Amino acid sequence: MNAPGGSLLVAEDVRKAYGPTMALDGAEFSIHPGEVVAVMGPSGSGKSTLLHCLAGIVTPDSGSIMYNGRDLATMSDAQRSQLRRSEFGFVFQFGQLVPELTCVENVALPLRLNGTPRKQAERTALDWMQRLEVDDLGRKRPGEVSGGQGQRVAVARSLVTNPRVLFADEPTGALDSLNGERVMELLTEAARTANAAVVLVTHEARVAAYSDREIVVRDGKSRDMERVI
Ligand SMILES: Nc1ncnc2c1ncn2[C@@H]1O[C@H](COP(=O)(O)OP(=O)(O)OP(=O)(O)O)[C@@H](O)[C@H]1O
Ligand SMILES: [Mg+2]
């Protein structure tokens, strides 16, 4: 796979074993600033493991992951978690909102953790909730909103710190197709507005259709899939 100059995040020959299971067996990946790349492949093929390695959550056994010219392996745990907090955003399938907090408090949380005063953090949070069309849900708790609304709140939270890379693992996996499409429309539009690159793990072709490029992971190996748009 090509890893051309100007790539923001590049993985080369990444291997990761869990006991006898080779979750990644020479995976390659690259993404440019602002690009939306779908990572596809069957269940158990290594998609989530690849995403976790790219995000510095899981350390590969071998191979390299370079973010903005820096090798993640040369960074300390504290530097990697600082990188995740300041440069990366995350959206998962479900269960990511804090149930005790209101929706606006959930969206404001990453800013609060970075030391932003409450009022300012909630103002910025509401701006993002407006873009995701959930600003009317600010005072509700996650248990009081629908699945699609909850995912849009989660997308707002993932973008509130203006990350350079948004990692999304099956962000619409728990939604029906109509809600899934709306979340994808708003997610990709918001990411493009913010010029955030998106690593989008999905096994659904209609979700991958929102990407600029697709890669397929099989048995821990990845390859580019040519797309005709
Ligand atoms: N923490 C772990 N401990 C042990 N084995 C693991 C762990 N994480 C993943 N695996 C194994 O590694 C392989 C790849 O898993 P991974 O979660 O990356 O697959 P996936 O492509 O995301 O699948 P799905 O589409 O079902 O989410 C699987 O065989 C899985 O069982
Ligand atoms: Mg997975």
Side-chain angles (χ1 to χ4, degrees):
M1 189 195 294
N2 61 331
S7 290
L8 182 62
L9 183 60
V10 182
E12 282 178 349
D13 200 19
V14 172
R15 289 165 206 273
K16 175 73 190 174
Y18 289 109
T21 306
M22 284 301 285
L24 291 177
D25 190 13
E28 314 273 326
F29 184 87
S30 71
I31 193 166
H32 282 92
E35 193 181 23
V36 181
V37 175
V39 178
M40 302 201 60
S43 181
S45 57
K47 304 182 296 295
S48 294
T49 307
L50 177 60
L51 180 142
H52 293 149
C53 287
L54 291 170
I57 296 167
V58 164
T59 306
D61 298 333
S62 65
S64 76
I65 297 179
M66 306 286 289
Y67 173 73
N68 224 351
R70 285 180 81 188
D71 189 341
L72 293 194
T74 65
M75 298 167 68
S76 66
D77 285 348
Q79 286 172 323
R80 271 194 299 269
S81 60
Q82 175 58 28
L83 179 73
R84 282 197 297 275
R85 269 209 306 274
S86 58
E87 309 266 312
F88 297 165
F90 296 90
V91 186
F92 297 107
Q93 189 167 346
F94 40 49
Q96 54 205 314
L97 298 174
V98 182
E100 293 81 10
L101 299 180
T102 65
C103 287
V104 73
E105 286 166 347
N106 264 283
V107 176
L109 190 59
L111 293 173
R112 300 284 289 132
L113 293 174
N114 283 342
T116 308
R118 189 174 62 81
K119 276 214 167 120
Q120 189 186 333
E122 294 195 356
R123 232 186 345 259
T124 309
L126 272 172
D127 283 347
W128 280 99
M129 291 176 78
Q130 204 164 13
R131 290 193 216 182
L132 276 300
E133 299 177 357
V134 282
D135 48 312
D136 53 332
L137 304 176
R139 298 292 151 205
K140 289 195 170 185
R141 287 174 212 283
E144 300 165 334
V145 306
S146 74
Q149 290 168 336
Q151 282 307 77
R152 284 188 269 148
V153 172
V155 172
R157 188 176 65 175
S158 72
L159 290 167
V160 77
T161 53
N162 277 319
R164 299 327 317 143
V165 188
L166 173 58
F167 292 95
D169 196 347
E170 303 280 6
T172 63
L175 304 179
D176 63 41
S177 56
L178 200 64
N179 271 306
E181 302 227 340
R182 193 71 192 124
V183 168
M184 281 312 303
E185 268 166 23
L186 292 167
L187 184 157
T188 45
E189 189 185 302
R192 289 202 161 100
T193 308
N195 199 33
V198 182
V199 181
L200 171 66
V201 168
T202 181
H203 57 264
E204 294 177 79
R206 65 181 172 80
V207 174
Y210 287 90
S211 70
D212 302 314
R213 184 158 61 84
E214 293 176 25
I215 73 151
V216 180
V217 182
R218 268 184 224 287
D219 300 326
K221 298 180 177 70
S222 55
R223 63 178 172 79
D224 262 313
M225 191 158 96
E226 291 298 327
R227 286 262 308 283
V228 181
I229 301 173

